[in-house]
Amino acid sequence: MTERSGAVEPGTDAVEVELGAYLAADAVIDHGHPEIRALAERLRRGTPVETARAAYEYVRDEIPHSGDVDRWSAAYRASAVLAEGNAICHGKAHLLIALLRASGIPAGVRYQRFEVLHGLVAAWWPGEGWVSIDPRGNVGGITAEFSVVRAAERIAFPEAALEPGVYPAVPERVARALAEAVPGVAGYEYLPAAP
C-alpha cells in the first residue's frame, strides 16, 4: 500500500487499499451520533452515487461556510457542525465524510495548501479510486460540483494543488489546531500550513 503519514495516495490500486479505516467513526468523524445517522437516512437514495450526491449537496448548500455568513461557530466535529449549522471548510468536510460513511461509502480527508490548509473530501468509487469533492459552498465566484470521476473533479479551488494522500482520520496536528478555534472569532490563523 502506498502510504504517507497514515494517508493513502490517490493513485493507489483498489486491491491495495484497506477501506475499513475509511468507514470508521472517531471523535471527529462521529457518524454513530443519532442526528448524523438520522440525516444520513433521510438523504439515502436508490444508489450509492445518488446518496453521495444528496449528502454532498446538503452539506455544500445547507450548511454555510462560517466566513460566508459571518457566524463563526468553531465547530469541527461532524455532529457539532450539524448542530451549529455552519463551519469552515474542515467542519463541512468532516460532516460530509460522516454522512458518506454512515451510508457505507468510504471517504477520507484531503487537503489543499494555501497560507493554511483547506479541507475537503475524497470518496472511494470502485473502478475509479479516490475522487475529490469539496463541500465548501458556492458563493462569490467559488464553484464546486459533485463527481464520481477523477478526471471530472470540480473542487472549489482548482488552481491550488492537492496535498498528497487521503487521510482516514483528521491528522492530530490539524485536530489540535481546530480545537483552538474560538466561537464568534473570525479568521483562520490557528490552522496549520501542513497536515
Side-chain angles (χ1 to χ4, degrees):
M1 179 183 327
T2 308
E3 289 195 21
R4 178 182 169 271
S5 305
V8 174
E9 298 298 330
T12 304
D13 189 293
V15 176
E16 297 181 61
V17 175
E18 172 51 55
L19 294 177
Y22 295 90
L23 290 166
D26 60 35
V28 176
I29 313 294
D30 58 344
H31 64 74
H33 189 280
E35 295 298 319
I36 299 282
R37 303 294 288 178
L39 178 57
E41 189 56 38
R42 284 196 313 271
L43 296 171
R44 191 173 311 275
R45 302 294 186 263
T47 69
V49 170
E50 292 168 342
T51 297
R53 179 185 300 280
Y56 170 80
E57 290 175 351
Y58 178 87
V59 175
R60 184 193 66 190
D61 301 340
E62 302 300 325
I63 304 292
H65 188 284
S66 298
D68 295 342
V69 294
D70 198 28
R71 281 183 311 176
W72 298 81
S73 70
Y76 68 95
R77 179 174 288 116
S79 59
V81 172
L82 185 58
E84 292 293 332
N86 77 87
I88 64 169
C89 58
H90 296 271
K92 290 180 60 122
H94 303 159
L95 175 56
L96 177 56
I97 292 166
L99 291 169
L100 293 174
R101 289 181 182 184
S103 296
I105 300 166
V109 187
R110 295 243 28 212
Y111 296 104
Q112 285 179 293
R113 190 181 299 193
F114 294 92
E115 298 83 37
V116 296
L117 288 178
H118 170 61
L120 58 152
V121 177
W124 178 268
W125 298 105
E128 187 66 27
W130 294 111
V131 178
S132 297
I133 50 177
D134 191 344
R136 189 254 175 248
N138 293 346
V139 65
I142 297 170
T143 303
E145 298 298 334
F146 178 78
S147 180
V148 295
V149 178
R150 197 170 335 159
E153 291 174 340
R154 293 218 24 228
I155 58 178
F157 305 107
E159 68 282 358
L162 288 163
E163 285 283 301
V166 177
Y167 294 81
V170 176
E172 187 175 322
R173 178 180 185 184
V174 177
R176 277 195 318 267
L178 290 167
E180 293 177 14
V182 177
V185 176
Y188 311 99
E189 308 74 40
Y190 57 89
L191 292 171

